[in-house]
Amino acid sequence: MDAGKTPSWSPLRKKIVRKKNSHGNLDRFIPNRAAMDFDFARYMMTEGRKVKENPLASSPSKGAYQKLLAEVFNMNRTRILAFKDKPPTPVELFPTEVYSSQQLKSVKPRRHIPQSSERTLDAPDILDDYYLNLLDWGSSNILSIALGNTLYLWNASDGSSSDLVTIEDDYGPITSVRWAPDGQHIAIGLHNSEVQLWDITAKRKLRTLHGGHRARVGALDWNNYILTTGAMDSRIINNDVRMRSQIVETYRGHTREVCGLKWSASGQQLASGANDNLLHIWDKAMASSTRWLHRFEDHTAAVKALAWCPFQSNLLASGGGAGDRCIKFWNTRTGSCLNSVDTGSQVCCLLWNKNEQELLSSHGFTDNQLTLWKYPSMVKMAELTGHTSRVLFMTQSPSGCTVASAAADETLRFWKVFGSPEAGKPAPKTNSEPFANVSRIR
């Protein structure tokens, strides 16, 4: 390098020296020596430039050495001191690019949750009883609700309503209802301990199940052709509706009225809750009818609200009554409690969103609200108000969009709380074959 000449990197240095940092001070340029080739720099400042300007001035041996150095250090490079690594691409704090329509489609918009019910129907004479289950929505899109001694059907497809049966005073009132998986048959629990099976298409009773319980039947659930019943006598009975002697198994573990029954989606585990504050998990494969898989004693009030998670098979949510007010989450494979949330009010019902990781709870004292929770953070997404008494019963439409709630204020309300179902998701298949021979059983 000739004396007095300005190095080629001086403008870069000058430019950097004039930059100011975030504190308003001048930054100092510190070259990255690890990224510099000092052997090549020395060669260029001494012999390399002479070889370029006068290649005949050196001896043959020295010329061969110079040629070798030139090949090694790549004579095409012009800058003496240079960074080997390419400087990083600057990050734009405020991007100006326009997103394509395909990119916009991939961004999921935040769902709007209506704060008021879209429809309200009268429900006179509905029983104000926490331990009963008087509302259910079948796979054929027909909602059933028990009002006193009469079971009413409301067709959500066309808005029509009709009554299916009125029970005599000696047998009623109706204490529980539950649709069979096929959506054409329904089970009705009665105050006199009997259970009736009805065909809604023909509007006729198929048979009466009796002899299993000694008190009112307040909880029902289906597991294919097995109808499980829970009663005030603390018993849980599995009834095979295809058989004349229908009782196939009796679970004994509760000491007070059974008010919550839910089979898992796999049909392998049954969750039961009762007024003894206990929650049991029964395994279908276990031979003993008196030995539960898990027994949970964490709730401090009656356990009625039960809901199996649709996206995690071993996850169960349970809710406690007025003396407990908690929603608890259980891993039924390990038997561990994953979380407990104090809701501040009586938990009456729980429903999972079929399309999102959300849980809806209905409450009694003191706000009588429906609360939508984000799972697993359990952050409140919305609180739906409108009922003026405790929201004792809640059910979900087959599509998963709409929730119906019934309260002691004698109203039935419909809420668009769960959004739209997944596109292209096939409807669940139903099987009516188990009921083919029921009409012949007397």
Short mmCIF file of all heavy atoms in Angstrom, two decimals, residues 23-62:
data_model
loop_
_atom_site.label_atom_id
_atom_site.label_comp_id
_atom_site.label_asym_id
_atom_site.label_seq_id
_atom_site.Cartn_x
_atom_site.Cartn_y
_atom_site.Cartn_z
N HIS A 23 -28.72 5.55 22.60
CA HIS A 23 -28.57 6.54 23.69
C HIS A 23 -28.12 7.89 23.14
O HIS A 23 -27.87 8.82 23.90
CB HIS A 23 -27.55 6.05 24.69
CG HIS A 23 -27.95 4.74 25.34
ND1 HIS A 23 -28.97 4.67 26.24
CD2 HIS A 23 -27.49 3.48 25.15
CE1 HIS A 23 -29.12 3.41 26.63
NE2 HIS A 23 -28.24 2.66 25.97
N GLY A 24 -27.98 8.01 21.80
CA GLY A 24 -27.56 9.29 21.24
C GLY A 24 -26.06 9.44 21.15
O GLY A 24 -25.57 10.49 20.71
N ASN A 25 -25.27 8.45 21.57
CA ASN A 25 -23.82 8.53 21.52
C ASN A 25 -23.31 7.97 20.21
O ASN A 25 -23.98 7.17 19.56
CB ASN A 25 -23.20 7.76 22.69
CG ASN A 25 -23.68 8.30 24.01
OD1 ASN A 25 -23.82 9.50 24.18
ND2 ASN A 25 -23.98 7.40 24.95
N LEU A 26 -22.08 8.37 19.83
CA LEU A 26 -21.48 7.86 18.60
C LEU A 26 -20.96 6.44 18.84
O LEU A 26 -20.29 6.17 19.82
CB LEU A 26 -20.34 8.77 18.16
CG LEU A 26 -20.77 10.17 17.70
CD1 LEU A 26 -19.55 11.01 17.38
CD2 LEU A 26 -21.68 10.09 16.49
N ASP A 27 -21.28 5.52 17.91
CA ASP A 27 -20.78 4.15 18.01
C ASP A 27 -19.36 4.09 17.46
O ASP A 27 -18.97 4.82 16.55
CB ASP A 27 -21.67 3.20 17.20
CG ASP A 27 -22.99 3.00 17.88
OD1 ASP A 27 -23.02 3.12 19.10
OD2 ASP A 27 -23.99 2.74 17.16
N ARG A 28 -18.58 3.19 18.00
CA ARG A 28 -17.19 2.99 17.56
C ARG A 28 -17.11 1.75 16.71
O ARG A 28 -17.64 0.71 17.07
CB ARG A 28 -16.28 2.85 18.78
CG ARG A 28 -14.81 2.65 18.46
CD ARG A 28 -13.98 2.86 19.69
NE ARG A 28 -14.42 1.98 20.75
CZ ARG A 28 -13.92 0.75 20.97
NH1 ARG A 28 -12.99 0.27 20.19
NH2 ARG A 28 -14.36 0.01 21.96
N PHE A 29 -16.45 1.84 15.53
CA PHE A 29 -16.33 0.69 14.64
C PHE A 29 -15.24 -0.24 15.17
O PHE A 29 -14.10 0.17 15.40
CB PHE A 29 -15.98 1.17 13.23
CG PHE A 29 -15.63 0.03 12.30
CD1 PHE A 29 -16.61 -0.88 11.94
CD2 PHE A 29 -14.34 -0.14 11.85
CE1 PHE A 29 -16.31 -1.93 11.10
CE2 PHE A 29 -14.04 -1.19 11.02
CZ PHE A 29 -15.02 -2.09 10.64
N ILE A 30 -15.61 -1.47 15.41
CA ILE A 30 -14.65 -2.50 15.87
C ILE A 30 -14.61 -3.57 14.80
O ILE A 30 -15.57 -4.32 14.64
CB ILE A 30 -15.07 -3.09 17.22
CG1 ILE A 30 -15.19 -1.98 18.26
CG2 ILE A 30 -14.06 -4.15 17.67
CD1 ILE A 30 -15.68 -2.46 19.60
N PRO A 31 -13.55 -3.66 14.01
CA PRO A 31 -13.50 -4.65 12.95
C PRO A 31 -13.50 -6.08 13.50
O PRO A 31 -12.99 -6.33 14.59
CB PRO A 31 -12.18 -4.35 12.22
CG PRO A 31 -11.40 -3.49 13.13
CD PRO A 31 -12.34 -2.83 14.09
N ASN A 32 -14.07 -6.98 12.75
CA ASN A 32 -14.13 -8.40 13.12
C ASN A 32 -12.88 -9.09 12.61
O ASN A 32 -12.79 -9.51 11.46
CB ASN A 32 -15.39 -9.02 12.51
CG ASN A 32 -15.53 -10.47 12.90
OD1 ASN A 32 -14.76 -10.97 13.71
ND2 ASN A 32 -16.53 -11.13 12.32
N ARG A 33 -11.88 -9.19 13.47
CA ARG A 33 -10.58 -9.73 13.04
C ARG A 33 -10.68 -11.22 12.70
O ARG A 33 -9.92 -11.73 11.88
CB ARG A 33 -9.54 -9.52 14.14
CG ARG A 33 -9.29 -8.04 14.42
CD ARG A 33 -8.20 -7.84 15.46
NE ARG A 33 -7.99 -6.43 15.73
CZ ARG A 33 -7.22 -5.63 15.00
NH1 ARG A 33 -6.59 -6.13 13.95
NH2 ARG A 33 -7.08 -4.36 15.28
N ALA A 34 -11.63 -11.90 13.30
CA ALA A 34 -11.77 -13.32 13.00
C ALA A 34 -12.23 -13.55 11.57
O ALA A 34 -12.03 -14.62 11.00
CB ALA A 34 -12.76 -13.97 13.97
N ALA A 35 -12.84 -12.55 10.99
CA ALA A 35 -13.35 -12.69 9.64
C ALA A 35 -12.40 -12.12 8.59
O ALA A 35 -12.75 -12.00 7.43
CB ALA A 35 -14.70 -12.00 9.54
N MET A 36 -11.16 -11.73 8.99
CA MET A 36 -10.20 -11.11 8.07
C MET A 36 -9.07 -12.08 7.72
O MET A 36 -8.66 -12.89 8.55
CB MET A 36 -9.62 -9.84 8.70
CG MET A 36 -10.66 -8.76 8.97
SD MET A 36 -9.95 -7.33 9.76
CE MET A 36 -11.42 -6.36 10.06
N ASP A 37 -8.55 -11.98 6.49
CA ASP A 37 -7.47 -12.83 5.99
C ASP A 37 -6.19 -12.01 5.99
O ASP A 37 -5.88 -11.29 5.04
CB ASP A 37 -7.82 -13.31 4.58
CG ASP A 37 -6.93 -14.46 4.15
OD1 ASP A 37 -5.83 -14.58 4.71
OD2 ASP A 37 -7.35 -15.22 3.25
N PHE A 38 -5.44 -12.08 7.09
CA PHE A 38 -4.24 -11.24 7.24
C PHE A 38 -3.11 -11.70 6.34
O PHE A 38 -2.29 -10.89 5.90
CB PHE A 38 -3.80 -11.23 8.70
CG PHE A 38 -4.72 -10.43 9.59
CD1 PHE A 38 -5.65 -11.05 10.38
CD2 PHE A 38 -4.66 -9.04 9.59
CE1 PHE A 38 -6.50 -10.32 11.18
CE2 PHE A 38 -5.51 -8.31 10.40
CZ PHE A 38 -6.43 -8.94 11.18
N ASP A 39 -3.02 -13.00 6.04
CA ASP A 39 -1.97 -13.48 5.13
C ASP A 39 -2.18 -12.88 3.74
O ASP A 39 -1.24 -12.42 3.08
CB ASP A 39 -2.00 -15.00 5.04
CG ASP A 39 -1.52 -15.63 6.33
OD1 ASP A 39 -0.76 -14.96 7.05
OD2 ASP A 39 -1.91 -16.78 6.61
N PHE A 40 -3.40 -12.89 3.29
CA PHE A 40 -3.69 -12.31 1.99
C PHE A 40 -3.46 -10.80 2.00
O PHE A 40 -2.94 -10.23 1.03
CB PHE A 40 -5.14 -12.62 1.61
CG PHE A 40 -5.57 -11.97 0.31
CD1 PHE A 40 -5.09 -12.46 -0.89
CD2 PHE A 40 -6.43 -10.90 0.32
CE1 PHE A 40 -5.47 -11.86 -2.08
CE2 PHE A 40 -6.81 -10.31 -0.87
CZ PHE A 40 -6.34 -10.78 -2.08
N ALA A 41 -3.79 -10.13 3.09
CA ALA A 41 -3.57 -8.68 3.18
C ALA A 41 -2.08 -8.34 3.10
O ALA A 41 -1.69 -7.39 2.40
CB ALA A 41 -4.18 -8.16 4.48
N ARG A 42 -1.28 -9.12 3.82
CA ARG A 42 0.17 -8.85 3.78
C ARG A 42 0.72 -9.06 2.38
O ARG A 42 1.52 -8.29 1.88
CB ARG A 42 0.87 -9.77 4.78
CG ARG A 42 2.39 -9.62 4.78
CD ARG A 42 3.01 -10.56 5.81
NE ARG A 42 4.44 -10.47 5.74
CZ ARG A 42 5.17 -9.52 6.34
NH1 ARG A 42 4.57 -8.59 7.08
NH2 ARG A 42 6.48 -9.51 6.24
N TYR A 43 0.23 -10.13 1.73
CA TYR A 43 0.70 -10.42 0.37
C TYR A 43 0.32 -9.28 -0.58
O TYR A 43 1.12 -8.84 -1.40
CB TYR A 43 0.09 -11.74 -0.09
CG TYR A 43 0.23 -11.99 -1.58
CD1 TYR A 43 1.47 -12.37 -2.12
CD2 TYR A 43 -0.85 -11.82 -2.42
CE1 TYR A 43 1.60 -12.57 -3.48
CE2 TYR A 43 -0.73 -12.02 -3.78
CZ TYR A 43 0.51 -12.40 -4.32
OH TYR A 43 0.62 -12.61 -5.66
N MET A 44 -0.87 -8.78 -0.49
CA MET A 44 -1.33 -7.71 -1.38
C MET A 44 -0.58 -6.41 -1.14
O MET A 44 -0.36 -5.63 -2.06
CB MET A 44 -2.83 -7.49 -1.21
CG MET A 44 -3.70 -8.60 -1.81
SD MET A 44 -3.49 -8.74 -3.58
CE MET A 44 -4.19 -7.18 -4.12
N MET A 45 -0.20 -6.16 0.11
CA MET A 45 0.50 -4.89 0.42
C MET A 45 1.97 -4.94 0.05
O MET A 45 2.62 -3.92 -0.03
CB MET A 45 0.34 -4.56 1.90
CG MET A 45 -1.08 -4.12 2.27
SD MET A 45 -1.21 -3.49 3.95
CE MET A 45 -0.89 -4.97 4.89
N THR A 46 2.49 -6.14 -0.18
CA THR A 46 3.94 -6.25 -0.49
C THR A 46 4.15 -6.79 -1.90
O THR A 46 4.23 -6.04 -2.86
CB THR A 46 4.63 -7.13 0.54
OG1 THR A 46 3.96 -8.40 0.57
CG2 THR A 46 4.57 -6.51 1.93
N GLU A 47 4.16 -8.09 -2.04
CA GLU A 47 4.53 -8.71 -3.30
C GLU A 47 3.40 -8.75 -4.31
O GLU A 47 3.62 -8.68 -5.50
CB GLU A 47 5.01 -10.15 -3.04
CG GLU A 47 6.18 -10.22 -2.05
CD GLU A 47 7.42 -9.48 -2.56
OE1 GLU A 47 7.58 -9.38 -3.80
OE2 GLU A 47 8.22 -9.01 -1.74
N GLY A 48 2.20 -8.88 -3.84
CA GLY A 48 1.09 -9.07 -4.76
C GLY A 48 0.91 -7.93 -5.73
O GLY A 48 0.72 -8.12 -6.92
N ARG A 49 1.03 -6.67 -5.23
CA ARG A 49 0.83 -5.52 -6.11
C ARG A 49 1.95 -5.44 -7.13
O ARG A 49 1.73 -5.07 -8.29
CB ARG A 49 0.74 -4.25 -5.27
CG ARG A 49 0.31 -3.04 -6.07
CD ARG A 49 0.13 -1.86 -5.14
NE ARG A 49 -0.96 -2.09 -4.23
CZ ARG A 49 -2.22 -1.83 -4.53
NH1 ARG A 49 -2.55 -1.39 -5.74
NH2 ARG A 49 -3.17 -2.04 -3.66
N LYS A 50 3.19 -5.79 -6.73
CA LYS A 50 4.32 -5.73 -7.67
C LYS A 50 4.15 -6.75 -8.79
O LYS A 50 4.45 -6.50 -9.94
CB LYS A 50 5.62 -6.01 -6.94
CG LYS A 50 5.97 -4.92 -5.93
CD LYS A 50 7.24 -5.29 -5.19
CE LYS A 50 7.58 -4.24 -4.11
NZ LYS A 50 8.80 -4.60 -3.37
N VAL A 51 3.66 -7.92 -8.45
CA VAL A 51 3.46 -8.95 -9.48
C VAL A 51 2.43 -8.49 -10.49
O VAL A 51 2.58 -8.71 -11.69
CB VAL A 51 3.02 -10.28 -8.82
CG1 VAL A 51 2.62 -11.31 -9.86
CG2 VAL A 51 4.16 -10.84 -7.97
N LYS A 52 1.40 -7.85 -10.00
CA LYS A 52 0.37 -7.37 -10.91
C LYS A 52 0.91 -6.28 -11.85
O LYS A 52 0.61 -6.24 -13.04
CB LYS A 52 -0.82 -6.81 -10.11
CG LYS A 52 -1.89 -7.82 -9.82
CD LYS A 52 -3.09 -7.11 -9.24
CE LYS A 52 -4.28 -8.06 -9.25
NZ LYS A 52 -5.50 -7.39 -8.77
N GLU A 53 1.73 -5.33 -11.29
CA GLU A 53 2.19 -4.20 -12.07
C GLU A 53 3.35 -4.57 -13.00
O GLU A 53 3.49 -4.04 -14.09
CB GLU A 53 2.62 -3.06 -11.15
CG GLU A 53 1.43 -2.49 -10.36
CD GLU A 53 1.88 -1.48 -9.33
OE1 GLU A 53 3.11 -1.30 -9.19
OE2 GLU A 53 1.02 -0.86 -8.69
N ASN A 54 4.26 -5.48 -12.54
CA ASN A 54 5.44 -5.83 -13.34
C ASN A 54 5.75 -7.30 -13.14
O ASN A 54 6.62 -7.65 -12.35
CB ASN A 54 6.63 -4.95 -12.93
CG ASN A 54 7.82 -5.15 -13.85
OD1 ASN A 54 7.69 -5.74 -14.92
ND2 ASN A 54 8.97 -4.65 -13.44
N PRO A 55 5.09 -8.20 -13.84
CA PRO A 55 5.27 -9.63 -13.61
C PRO A 55 6.64 -10.14 -14.03
O PRO A 55 7.05 -11.22 -13.62
CB PRO A 55 4.16 -10.26 -14.46
CG PRO A 55 3.82 -9.24 -15.47
CD PRO A 55 4.08 -7.91 -14.84
N LEU A 56 7.42 -9.40 -14.84
CA LEU A 56 8.73 -9.87 -15.30
C LEU A 56 9.86 -9.44 -14.39
O LEU A 56 11.02 -9.78 -14.63
CB LEU A 56 9.01 -9.32 -16.71
CG LEU A 56 7.97 -9.73 -17.77
CD1 LEU A 56 8.30 -9.06 -19.11
CD2 LEU A 56 7.96 -11.24 -17.92
N ALA A 57 9.59 -8.68 -13.37
CA ALA A 57 10.64 -8.14 -12.51
C ALA A 57 11.19 -9.16 -11.57
O ALA A 57 12.26 -8.99 -11.01
CB ALA A 57 10.11 -6.95 -11.73
N SER A 58 10.54 -10.25 -11.34
CA SER A 58 10.99 -11.23 -10.35
C SER A 58 11.62 -12.40 -11.04
O SER A 58 11.45 -12.65 -12.24
CB SER A 58 9.81 -11.69 -9.50
OG SER A 58 8.81 -12.20 -10.32
N SER A 59 12.38 -13.19 -10.27
CA SER A 59 13.07 -14.38 -10.79
C SER A 59 12.05 -15.47 -11.07
O SER A 59 10.93 -15.44 -10.56
CB SER A 59 14.09 -14.87 -9.78
OG SER A 59 13.41 -15.27 -8.59
N PRO A 60 12.44 -16.50 -11.89
CA PRO A 60 11.49 -17.58 -12.21
C PRO A 60 10.99 -18.32 -10.98
O PRO A 60 9.82 -18.63 -10.85
CB PRO A 60 12.29 -18.50 -13.12
CG PRO A 60 13.33 -17.61 -13.73
CD PRO A 60 13.68 -16.60 -12.70
N SER A 61 11.94 -18.59 -10.05
CA SER A 61 11.51 -19.32 -8.85
C SER A 61 10.59 -18.46 -7.99
O SER A 61 9.58 -18.92 -7.45
CB SER A 61 12.73 -19.76 -8.03
OG SER A 61 13.49 -18.62 -7.64
N LYS A 62 10.99 -17.21 -7.91
CA LYS A 62 10.14 -16.31 -7.12
C LYS A 62 8.80 -16.10 -7.82
O LYS A 62 7.76 -15.99 -7.19
CB LYS A 62 10.86 -14.98 -6.93
CG LYS A 62 10.18 -14.08 -5.88
CD LYS A 62 11.05 -12.89 -5.56
CE LYS A 62 10.39 -12.08 -4.45
NZ LYS A 62 11.21 -10.89 -4.11
#
